[in-house]
Amino acid sequence: MIERYREFLPISPATPIISLGEGSTPLIYSRRLSERIGRGCDVFVKNEGVNPTGSFKDRGMTVAVSKAMERGTRALICASTGNTSASAAAYAARAGISCVVILPAGKIATGKLLQAFAYGAKIVAVNGNFDDALRIVRELGETGDFTIVNSINPDRIAGQKTAAFEIVDELGDAPDFHLLPVGNAGNITAYWAGYREYFARERSTKLPSMLGFQAAGAAPIFHDYIIDKPETIASAIRIGNPASWKQARAAIVESRGAIDVVSDEKILAAQSWLAQHEGIFVEPASAASIAGVFKWCDSDDAAYSFQKIPEGSRIVCTVTGHGLKDPDVIIRRMKELKPVAATMTDVRRAIGM
Ligand code: F0G
C-alpha cells in the first residue's frame, strides 16, 4: 500500500517498509443496497475487512510501524477495543519488535483477543474501559520506552487516508456521501484528510459529505459530552471520550456532513442484512455505516426525510472489520442447531423443502 501512494505518505528512502500486503481493498457496487435506497442512488461498500488482520487498522499500522522502525523503536504500545491491538501485534511480529497491548478486561471480541495472543503480543487487561486504557498508554508513551500506535500517532492517520484515495481512483471522482462508523474518530479524520488532499491535487472535482455513525449508547460526539460508561454490542466503537473528537467535528462541519446514532438493534439487523443480501460479513461496529444508510434513506423512517440524501447520489459505506472477529452474537444462534439422523427422510424434513 505504501508503494502505491508513496508520494502522499511521510516515507523517505531511509524508511524500512513493514508491510503485510494491506490496502487495495474491494469497492463493491451493491445492487441490493442501491435498490433498497432507491431514487437512482448508487451505493458502494468499501470492504476493509479483507485487510491482512481483518480491519482497516492495517493501513495506518504499516505506516506507523515503518516510521517507528526508521526511528529505531524497540517496542510498540497501544490501547484497543481489539482491532488496533490485533494489527499492532501482527506488524510488530513482522518487524521483529515487541508489542504491548492494554485492553479493557472482558470487553474484547473473541477473534480479536485471539489474534493478539496468536501474534505474540504482551497483553495486559485492565479493569476499566477503552478510555482508561488509552490514558495509561499516553502516560507510558511519555517514558520514551514505547512508540504509541493508536490513532493519536499521526502516521496512523496518514496511512488510513489512502482508503479515500483508492475510492476516488476507482470511481473517477469523490462520492457525494461517505458513511462510516465512528469510535475514537481517527478514521473519519483520516478519510476527510485523504479526500481534501486529493481534491487539492485536482484528482477529484468535489468533496463528499462525511456522515459518521456512533452506537446509541456510546455517542459522545453526537451528544457533545463525554460518556463515562459507554455501552453497545458493537464493542469496537464502545468509546466515551474519542481522541480525535475535534478533528471529527471539523470534518463534519467542513464537509457539510453529520454525526448521527444507530441503535444496537439496527446495527445487528444491518449486519445480518448485508451478510444475507450481499455476502459481505462484517462485525457489528462496521454495520453501523449500513444501519446509517438505512436510517437516512429508508422511507419508513419518518424522522429522516428523503431530502437529506438527494436523488442520484453516489454513496460509499465503509465496513471496517471482518465478521469472524466478533462472532459472539451469532454463536448464540448456532447453538440452536440440533443434529438429525443421517437418513434422506430426516434430512429432507430438516431442510423443510
Ligand atoms: N470499526 C471498527 C471495526 C473498529 O475497530 C473501530 C475502532 C472503528 C470502526 C472506529 O474507528 O476509532 O477510527 O473512529 N477501533 C479501535 C481499536 C478503537 O482499538 O481497534 P475510529
Side-chain angles (χ1 to χ4, degrees):
M1 185 207 82
I2 287 179
E3 291 308 340
R4 183 170 175 191
Y5 293 111
R6 186 177 260 273
E7 60 180 302
F8 297 95
L9 297 171
I11 299 293
S12 79
T15 317
I17 307 297
I18 310 299
S19 172
L20 288 164
E22 58 296 314
S24 301
T25 56
L27 180 67
I28 301 167
Y29 173 70
S30 172
R31 183 169 62 80
R32 292 206 176 82
L33 265 177
S34 304
E35 276 169 12
R36 176 155 170 188
I37 301 312
R39 299 157 46 249
C41 290
D42 283 324
V43 187
F44 297 82
V45 177
K46 180 71 168 162
N47 186 7
E48 290 287 277
V50 302
N51 275 298
T53 75
S55 87
F56 70 100
K57 306 286 181 180
D58 296 342
R59 291 180 184 277
M61 211 54 76
T62 182
V63 177
V65 178
S66 298
K67 292 302 285 181
M69 292 303 283
E70 184 181 343
R71 296 183 197 110
T73 299
R74 309 266 299 274
L76 308 178
I77 193 167
C78 67
S80 186
T81 56
N83 281 325
T84 297
S85 49
S87 185
Y91 283 79
R94 178 81 168 149
I97 56 175
S98 58
C99 178
V100 177
V101 304
I102 314 284
L103 306 175
K107 308 270 168 133
I108 307 298
T110 311
K112 303 176 190 177
L113 188 56
L114 187 147
Q115 286 180 293
F117 274 95
Y119 295 126
K122 188 161 192 54
I123 302 163
V124 182
V126 295
N127 288 319
N129 58 29
F130 169 83
D131 304 293
D132 298 317
L134 185 56
R135 177 175 42 79
I136 293 163
V137 163
R138 284 181 195 269
E139 285 169 25
L140 284 170
E142 278 167 21
T143 63
D145 297 333
F146 304 96
T147 294
I148 299 177
V149 292
N150 281 102
S151 57
I152 53 175
N153 177 337
D155 298 326
R156 277 275 313 277
I157 304 292
Q160 283 173 213
K161 73 188 176 185
T162 58
F165 298 163
E166 287 175 15
I167 291 166
V168 175
D169 285 343
E170 202 155 331
L171 294 180
D173 206 341
D176 300 303
F177 291 89
H178 189 118
L179 285 73
L180 77 172
V182 173
N184 214 22
N187 213 25
I188 191 168
T189 303
Y191 269 98
W192 182 237
Y195 282 124
R196 269 195 347 243
E197 201 168 331
Y198 247 32
F199 181 72
R201 299 263 201 118
E202 298 180 0
R203 303 271 184 122
S204 64
T205 67
K206 58 185 173 186
L207 289 163
S209 289
M210 303 298 299
L211 305 183
F213 293 89
Q214 300 195 294
I221 303 178
F222 176 79
H223 293 300
D224 207 19
Y225 52 76
I226 293 170
I227 311 281
D228 287 330
K229 291 196 168 56
E231 260 319 322
T232 167
I233 191 88
S235 58
I237 52 172
R238 195 186 283 145
I239 293 175
N241 187 11
S244 300
W245 192 321
K246 273 204 206 104
Q247 295 89 324
R249 269 260 154 250
I252 290 154
V253 171
E254 289 169 20
S255 75
R256 296 196 186 86
I259 189 93
D260 199 1
V261 289
V262 282
S263 68
D264 281 5
E265 193 191 344
K266 294 279 164 111
I267 285 174
L268 292 178
Q271 181 195 27
S272 294
W273 192 94
L274 192 66
Q276 293 170 19
H277 290 82
E278 285 295 5
I280 304 171
F281 178 34
V282 304
E283 64 169 287
S286 304
S289 62
I290 306 298
V293 79
F294 289 155
K295 181 170 180 182
W296 275 56
C297 299
D298 269 2
S299 53
D300 60 357
D301 205 330
Y304 283 77
S305 78
F306 259 5
Q307 316 304 343
K308 288 189 176 166
I309 294 190
E311 248 173 59
S313 295
R314 259 183 164 184
I315 302 167
V316 172
C317 299
T318 293
V319 291
T320 42
H322 201 287
L324 288 173
K325 283 171 166 281
D326 194 350
D328 299 350
V329 172
I330 298 174
I331 283 175
R332 266 178 250 148
R333 285 199 344 237
M334 277 164 51
K335 293 198 171 131
E336 291 159 18
L337 184 66
K338 298 275 181 294
V340 300
T343 68
M344 270 295 272
T345 327
D346 288 86
V347 170
R348 283 202 81 111
R349 193 181 309 126
I351 295 169
M353 56 195 273

